[in-house]
Amino acid sequence: MKKLISILCICSVLSLNYNCKAIQNANKSQKGTGIGVAGGALIGGLIGGNIKGALIGAAIGGAGGAIIGRQMDKQAQKIETVLPGAEVKRVGEGIQVIFDDKSGVTFAFNSADLTTASQQNLDKIAEIFLEFPDTELMLEGHTDSVGDENYNMKLSTNRANAVSKYLQSKGVAASRMSVKGYGETAPRFDNATKEGQAKNRRVEIGIAANEDMINDAKAQKN
């Protein structure tokens, strides 16, 4: 029995390592046909508690996933065009948008109010969301590490909500969006510097196929 358990454990680790490498090494077309994790919508279907995990969890894989992947390639290219400073990643069959301090959605210290620059950037990306209506959007709010941890968690949620409300004012349906705050737990920059703190006061966006797009892709593959 001990030997059997050991073998199963080793196989599980090897399988996990293989799948992780497969995702890391996949090109855009391959990502569309990537690992068929249990399909599901981005909203309410978080795996790993963040955008990357949610996008991987929402993948349907196979020929249908390849069709979705091609649609996401087009959308990602448009986002890169209107926001050239943003980091636009294709993850699974979806898109993760990581802004920089110039093309991003950042906030003043202890504030959930959108800056003028943030509004201008959201105007640009909102037009693309309207052009591709069959997608769901995950909005992640973040803070720097200054202040109380619990307060920062609430502040990060308020920031994500501020982005959601602004996108709604531009015509993006509220039903397409979910919001989640991560407080100070997921910094991308060094919180030891003022510059790093400013960049960490941000919102990131995940984009995945909704049920209509998934059903259309499955129908096309047949």
Side-chain angles (χ1 to χ4, degrees):
M1 177 63 72
K2 289 183 178 179
K3 289 183 179 180
L4 177 59
I5 293 173
S6 298
I7 292 171
L8 290 173
C9 289
I10 292 170
C11 289
S12 296
V13 171
L14 290 175
S15 176
L16 179 59
N17 288 339
Y18 174 81
N19 288 342
C20 289
K21 289 178 180 177
I23 293 173
Q24 291 170 351
N25 294 331
N27 59 30
K28 288 184 177 179
S29 297
Q30 289 169 329
K31 286 175 182 175
T33 58
I35 298 169
V37 184
L42 180 65
I43 295 177
L46 303 187
I47 293 179
N50 57 21
I51 286 175
K52 184 176 181 180
L55 292 176
I56 293 173
I60 65 170
I67 293 170
I68 292 173
R70 288 193 288 272
Q71 289 295 317
M72 290 297 177
D73 285 344
K74 294 177 183 178
Q75 188 170 177
Q77 289 171 0
K78 287 180 177 288
I79 295 172
E80 288 175 335
T81 299
V82 299
L83 296 174
E87 183 179 357
V88 183
K89 291 184 174 182
R90 287 280 284 101
V91 179
E93 293 157 14
I95 303 168
Q96 182 177 15
V97 183
I98 303 169
F99 299 101
D100 67 2
D101 55 335
K102 293 181 180 179
S103 68
V105 182
T106 54
F107 300 82
F109 176 71
N110 194 31
S111 174
D113 296 330
L114 292 168
T115 64
T116 300
S118 294
Q119 291 177 349
Q120 292 172 345
N121 291 325
L122 287 174
D123 288 343
K124 297 173 183 177
I125 202 169
E127 292 181 2
I128 297 173
F129 293 156
L130 293 174
E131 184 180 349
F132 294 86
D134 291 341
T135 55
E136 294 180 345
L137 311 172
M138 177 182 172
L139 311 178
E140 266 190 6
H142 300 272
T143 71
D144 58 35
S145 61
V146 179
D148 179 74
E149 183 177 348
N150 292 328
Y151 177 84
N152 284 339
M153 189 63 71
K154 294 178 182 178
L155 179 59
S156 66
T157 302
N158 291 339
R159 287 172 173 169
N161 278 321
V163 172
S164 175
K165 290 178 181 178
Y166 189 82
L167 289 174
Q168 289 176 53
S169 74
K170 298 299 175 179
V172 181
S175 60
R176 295 176 60 186
M177 293 181 276
S178 68
V179 301
K180 186 173 180 63
Y182 285 86
E184 60 190 64
T185 64
R188 288 194 177 276
F189 306 94
D190 186 1
N191 272 314
T193 67
K194 292 293 184 183
E195 181 181 7
Q197 291 171 11
K199 291 180 178 180
N200 282 328
R201 300 193 290 266
R202 72 198 192 278
V203 168
E204 298 182 8
I205 301 177
I207 307 166
N210 69 4
E211 187 175 353
D212 288 339
M213 182 184 284
I214 291 172
N215 290 336
D216 287 345
K218 289 180 177 178
Q220 288 182 50
K221 78 173 183 178
N222 295 326

